[in-house]
């Protein structure tokens, strides 16, 4: 059985004080212990949040990193630096990074390799644009992203997040059937690239306008192993309701 992973991607929100107060509120709530809970605060809050969560089961991830270990890359942070402060996961290839910061499939591939090399678990985001979906080529697009992302990578502890770009921050959620179909498709492609046994172990999340009111419907789909939550993870009550979906 795959354990579900419910992750909050705070994006560029919350200074240190705000991050700590959100985390303290979250910690005080009863959270479903059948799922793994992860939060990804902005870089400046990572260290304080990790310290605050020392005795908690809530895990912490970064939203981005460079693929090099060190060097003249002004403004960047390396996998080794994240690992050093106790970061466990790192989001790679989020569509906002692909769109605004020119993160190509080639860069995504290098980042996955670097994350794995330094013992970070990458959450690899992929998904089609609205145009691709309207043309009916969403599966080709996702297959293409997957093949390039995994180039030269052995079976490892990775997480995937299927995030149709048209559903991110728009309030438009993919239907649970669409999301389930695509995550099942992704699992089949992984089985083609690697082995079915491995594909059956990979956690595949859905992301895109997940909120308390639709979490249960989405998270009860057989092929969906969790959620990558943006906006709704900024409120402790709302995020806790998503984590406790259906309870
Ligand atoms: P959203 O963002 O939940 O605000 O749509 C999801 C994401 O970007 O991971």
């Amino acid at each position: 059985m795959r354990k579900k992973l419910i992750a909050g991607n705070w994006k560029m929100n919350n200074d240190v004080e705000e991050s700590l107060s959100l985390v303290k509120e979250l910690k005080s709530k009863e959270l479903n212990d059948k799922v793994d809970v992860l939060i990804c605060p902005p870089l400046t809050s990572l260290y304080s949040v990790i310290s605050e969560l020392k005795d908690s089961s809530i895990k912490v991830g970064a939203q981005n990193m460079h693929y090099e270990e060190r060097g003249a890359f002004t403004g960047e942070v390396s996998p080794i630096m994240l690992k050093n402060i106790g970061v466990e996961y790192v989001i790679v290839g989020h569509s906002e990074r692909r769109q605004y910061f020119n993160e190509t499939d080639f860069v995504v591939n290098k980042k996955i390799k670097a994350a794995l090399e330094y013992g970070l678990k990458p959450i690899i985001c992929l998904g089609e644009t609205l145009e691709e979906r309207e043309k009916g080529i969403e599966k080709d697009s996702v297959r293409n992203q997957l093949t390039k992302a995994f180039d030269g990578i052995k079976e490892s502890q990775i997480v995937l997040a299927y995030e149709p770009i048209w559903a991110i921050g728009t309030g438009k959620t993919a239907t649970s059937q669409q999301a389930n179909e695509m995550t099942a498709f992704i699992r089949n492609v992984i089985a083609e690239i690697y082995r079915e046994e491995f594909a059956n172990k990979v956690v595949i999340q859905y992301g895109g306008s997940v909120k308390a009111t639709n979490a249960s419907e989405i998270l009860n789909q057989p092929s969906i192993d969790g959620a990558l939550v943006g906006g709704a993870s900024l409120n402790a009550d709302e995020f806790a309701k998503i984590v406790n979906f259906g309870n």
Side-chain angles (χ1 to χ4, degrees):
M1 259 303 271
R2 297 180 298 266
K3 193 169 183 192
K4 288 195 190 323
L5 172 66
I6 300 187
N9 171 13
W10 292 0
K11 308 193 179 182
M12 200 170 72
N13 294 292
N14 293 334
D15 62 20
V16 176
E17 204 180 317
E18 290 162 337
S19 298
L20 287 174
S21 108
L22 179 48
V23 154
K24 282 178 190 157
E25 209 185 328
L26 206 55
K27 248 181 29 171
S28 72
K29 292 186 183 297
E30 216 168 299
L31 299 175
N32 182 354
D33 57 9
K34 292 195 184 63
V35 306
D36 283 325
V37 181
L38 168 72
I39 51 166
C40 301
L43 186 61
T44 47
S45 298
L46 277 174
Y47 185 75
S48 317
V49 164
I50 288 169
S51 309
E52 181 61 38
L53 289 175
K54 236 187 356 241
D55 302 315
S56 155
S57 60
I58 302 174
K59 298 161 185 294
V60 183
Q63 299 174 15
N64 179 40
M65 59 162 210
H66 197 277
Y67 49 79
E68 292 290 350
E69 182 183 309
R70 66 184 71 247
F73 301 100
T74 302
E76 292 291 327
V77 65
S78 83
I80 209 165
M81 293 167 184
L82 296 177
K83 186 73 189 171
N84 181 253
I85 59 162
V87 169
E88 191 176 342
Y89 288 81
V90 60
I91 299 174
V92 174
H94 190 280
S95 63
E96 284 153 14
R97 300 245 17 122
R98 293 181 193 253
Q99 188 180 347
Y100 305 128
F101 304 98
N102 203 23
E103 196 156 305
T104 59
D105 288 320
F106 177 74
V107 170
V108 169
N109 174 261
K110 288 185 80 124
K111 289 189 176 186
I112 300 168
K113 284 181 179 152
L116 293 170
E117 189 181 338
Y118 293 100
L120 296 163
K121 295 170 196 154
I123 299 180
I124 307 154
C125 303
L126 35 100
E128 78 283 1
T129 61
L130 183 59
E131 199 189 343
E132 286 166 337
R133 177 150 291 259
E134 282 172 353
K135 281 192 190 147
I137 56 166
E138 65 275 9
K139 288 190 174 141
D140 300 321
S141 164
V142 165
R143 176 191 289 277
N144 185 35
Q145 289 170 50
L146 271 171
T147 316
K148 289 181 173 154
F150 286 143
D151 186 37
I153 291 171
K154 296 203 192 77
E155 290 180 8
S156 348
Q157 212 180 343
I158 49 149
V159 175
L160 287 166
Y162 167 62
E163 300 207 301
I165 294 168
W166 48 272
I168 295 179
T170 56
K172 268 193 225 163
T173 328
T175 63
S176 48
Q177 289 76 10
Q178 282 172 326
N180 189 59
E181 189 187 332
M182 287 303 281
T183 45
F185 172 74
I186 289 169
R187 201 175 302 286
N188 285 338
V189 177
I190 298 171
E192 283 168 26
I193 300 176
Y194 298 100
R195 294 170 305 133
E196 196 169 334
E197 201 190 336
F198 173 68
N200 285 335
K201 282 193 220 145
V202 174
V203 167
I204 308 179
Q205 302 175 308
Y206 165 79
S209 300
V210 174
K211 39 187 185 280
T213 48
N214 60 22
S216 159
E217 164 83 19
I218 291 168
L219 290 163
N220 277 311
Q221 296 299 315
S223 202
I224 300 179
D225 308 323
L228 185 53
V229 185
S233 70
L234 295 171
N235 178 290
D237 276 336
E238 178 85 7
F239 189 58
K241 280 188 191 145
I242 295 172
V243 170
N244 297 332
F245 65 99
N247 296 331

